[in-house]
């Protein structure tokens, strides 16, 4: 069934997805620094709205394709019939695997429905459907995007789904009356994939390979700098002479400059930011915070370098 599927993703998706996927893959712009670094080398320019859900990204994708009509299936944004998912969904099957004698399926489903302040709201049939404070955010997102998007025909096939202003309810019968144009769509998709593959084979692969090599080189450079900085910092903690201390601090400032002036600023920022957040929340001495920063950057660079080296070996 998936043999004719095209995967559209951003680069932060778990690597196992791409390793196990034998489908054509198209990337859109990432919101993460490391992803942005990849995009700059791979020539990724397309951007999709990230509303925090597969549904929001899929809707934005359909809109950007210029579809004159968009039909949303399964977009209920609530709990019709007090159900969290359809019975054959992955989430439903996962719930079955989690249950035991002390944790029943009903208990898991009850928690899923009640742990975000559920309430009733109007649905597409004029009745009421249970939703909660999490799902209602997506309703607001859709309504905001629909107002700012170019005019088009948007329809929701979920009769018991909560009402979304600007997205009219349509039954599946009307949708099934539409002409069958799948063969034409498949032909267009194949043509576009072949064109993209030809462009990528000329430039994309080599650019990505160069990027991975750059990441390895940059991580190795940062590892050396952080190792040297950590040694200097340790030595300064036992220094009492003022001139020696000043010289050591100047040396640390130079190390800091080399780290912050990294040619791959996105990568450096990606590595440093989580550590900075931890340091800000802790009340420790300058030496302790600096030591933690250098060690954390060192560990992060080593981690990224090892995985980049593995990736490069697969490209050989």
């Amino acid at each position: 069934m998936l043999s004719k599927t095209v995967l559209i993703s951003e680069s932060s998706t778990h690597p196992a997805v791409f390793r196990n996927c034998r489908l054509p893959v198209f990337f859109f712009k990432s919101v993460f620094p490391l992803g942005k670094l990849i995009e700059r080398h791979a020539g990724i320019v397309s951007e999709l709205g990230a509303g925090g859900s597969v549904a929001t990204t899929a809707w934005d994708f359909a809109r950007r394709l210029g579809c004159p009509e968009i039909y949303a299936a399964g977009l209920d944004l609530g709990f019709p019939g007090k159900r969290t998912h359809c019975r054959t969904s992955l989430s439903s099957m996962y719930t079955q695997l989690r249950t035991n004698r002390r944790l029943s399926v009903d208990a898991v489903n009850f928690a899923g429905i009640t742990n975000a302040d559920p309430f009733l709201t109007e649905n597409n049939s004029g009745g009421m459907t249970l939703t909660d404070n999490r799902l209602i955010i997506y309703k607001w997102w859709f309504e905001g995007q629909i107002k700012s998007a170019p005019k088009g025909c948007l329809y929701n096939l979920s009769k018991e789904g909560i009402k979304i202003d600007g997205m009219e309810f349509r039954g599946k019968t009307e949708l099934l009356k539409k002409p069958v144009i799948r063969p034409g769509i498949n032909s267009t998709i194949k043509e576009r994939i072949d064109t993209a593959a030809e462009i990528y084979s000329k430039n994309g692969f080599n650019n990505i390979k160069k990027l991975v090599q750059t990441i390895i080189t940059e991580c190795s450079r940062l590892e050396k700098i952080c190792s040297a900085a950590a040694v200097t910092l340790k030595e300064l903690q036992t220094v009492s002479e003022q001139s020696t201390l000043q010289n050591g601090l100047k040396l640390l400032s130079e190390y800091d400059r080399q780290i912050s002036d990294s040619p791959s600023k996105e990568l450096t920022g990606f590595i440093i930011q989580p550590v900075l957040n931890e340091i800000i929340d802790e009340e420790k001495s300058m030496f302790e915070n600096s030591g933690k920063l250098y060690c954390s950057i060192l560990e992060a660079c080593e981690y990224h370098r090892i995985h980049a080296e593995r990736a490069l070996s697969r490209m050989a």
Side-chain angles (χ1 to χ4, degrees):
M1 184 178 70
L2 293 176
S3 60
K4 296 181 180 179
T5 301
V6 177
L7 178 62
I8 300 169
S9 175
E10 74 145 58
S11 55
S12 65
T13 301
H14 195 283
V17 173
F18 305 118
R19 285 199 297 268
N20 297 320
C21 177
R22 295 295 180 265
L23 306 172
V25 179
F26 285 82
F27 288 103
F28 59 89
K29 278 190 173 183
S30 174
V31 297
F32 298 100
L34 188 57
K36 292 178 180 179
L37 181 64
I38 295 172
E39 290 159 10
R40 197 168 67 233
H41 288 74
I44 299 170
V45 296
S46 301
E47 186 172 1
L48 291 178
S53 164
V54 174
T56 57
T57 302
W59 176 83
D60 197 49
F61 175 66
R63 181 181 67 82
R64 289 174 184 270
L65 286 178
C67 300
E69 294 182 333
I70 299 175
Y71 288 81
L75 188 66
D76 50 58
L77 300 182
F79 308 105
K82 296 184 179 179
R83 298 186 303 271
T84 57
H85 300 85
C86 66
R87 290 183 179 179
T88 56
S89 69
L90 179 62
S91 294
S92 179
M93 290 187 284
Y94 180 64
T95 298
Q96 297 282 350
L97 294 174
R98 290 171 55 200
T99 56
N100 53 50
R101 290 182 179 180
R102 293 181 294 177
L103 184 66
S104 66
V105 172
D106 288 339
V108 174
N109 289 338
F110 180 79
I113 292 174
T114 60
N115 63 8
D117 300 324
F119 58 92
L120 292 170
T121 190
E122 184 181 1
N123 63 27
N124 289 317
S125 66
M128 304 294 282
T129 290
L130 194 66
T131 187
D132 63 20
N133 286 331
R134 291 171 303 191
L135 294 172
I136 202 69
I137 293 173
Y138 297 119
K139 166 184 161 67
W140 297 335
W141 186 91
F142 274 109
E143 290 176 342
Q145 292 295 313
I146 289 170
K147 287 179 181 178
S148 61
K151 296 298 181 182
C153 298
L154 309 174
Y155 304 110
N156 194 335
L157 297 174
S158 179
K159 187 176 182 179
E160 295 183 40
I162 67 174
K163 184 178 180 180
I164 301 173
D165 293 340
M167 191 177 291
E168 181 185 337
F169 169 70
R170 281 284 179 91
K172 63 180 181 180
T173 304
E174 294 185 51
L175 176 61
L176 294 174
K177 291 179 181 178
K178 299 288 182 181
V180 178
I181 59 172
R182 190 73 239 178
I185 293 175
N186 289 341
S187 177
T188 301
I189 290 175
K190 184 179 184 305
E191 180 183 331
R192 298 294 172 84
I193 290 175
D194 291 342
T195 302
E198 183 179 352
I199 295 172
Y200 176 76
S201 63
K202 291 180 179 178
N203 304 312
F205 182 80
N206 289 332
N207 289 342
I208 292 294
K209 191 173 182 179
K210 289 178 182 177
L211 170 62
V212 175
Q213 291 171 331
T214 300
I215 290 174
I216 293 171
T217 302
E218 186 60 18
C219 283
S220 298
R221 187 183 76 87
L222 290 173
E223 284 178 55
K224 292 178 181 178
I225 294 172
C226 290
S227 296
V231 171
T232 302
L233 189 66
K234 187 175 181 179
E235 292 173 349
L236 287 179
Q237 294 183 52
T238 59
V239 169
S240 57
E241 188 177 337
Q242 189 66 23
S243 60
T244 305
L245 182 61
Q246 289 297 326
N247 290 333
L249 291 175
K250 287 181 181 179
L251 185 57
L252 287 177
S253 296
E254 175 59 23
Y255 289 140
D256 292 344
R257 186 194 64 77
Q258 292 178 26
I259 293 172
S260 61
D261 289 348
S262 167
S264 302
K265 292 186 183 298
E266 294 94 340
L267 178 61
T268 309
F270 179 75
I271 291 171
I272 292 177
Q273 192 58 50
V275 186
L276 291 177
N277 291 338
E278 289 182 19
I279 291 175
I280 290 171
D281 295 335
E282 295 178 355
E283 295 182 1
K284 293 185 177 180
S285 69
M286 179 193 72
F287 284 117
E288 287 179 304
N289 284 336
S290 297
K292 184 173 183 178
L293 179 62
Y294 293 134
C295 290
S296 297
I297 295 174
L298 178 62
E299 291 173 3
C301 286
E302 184 179 15
Y303 175 84
H304 283 79
R305 176 179 54 77
I306 290 171
H307 283 281
E309 287 172 345
R310 289 176 181 172
L312 188 62
S313 67
R314 296 191 189 103
M315 295 179 177

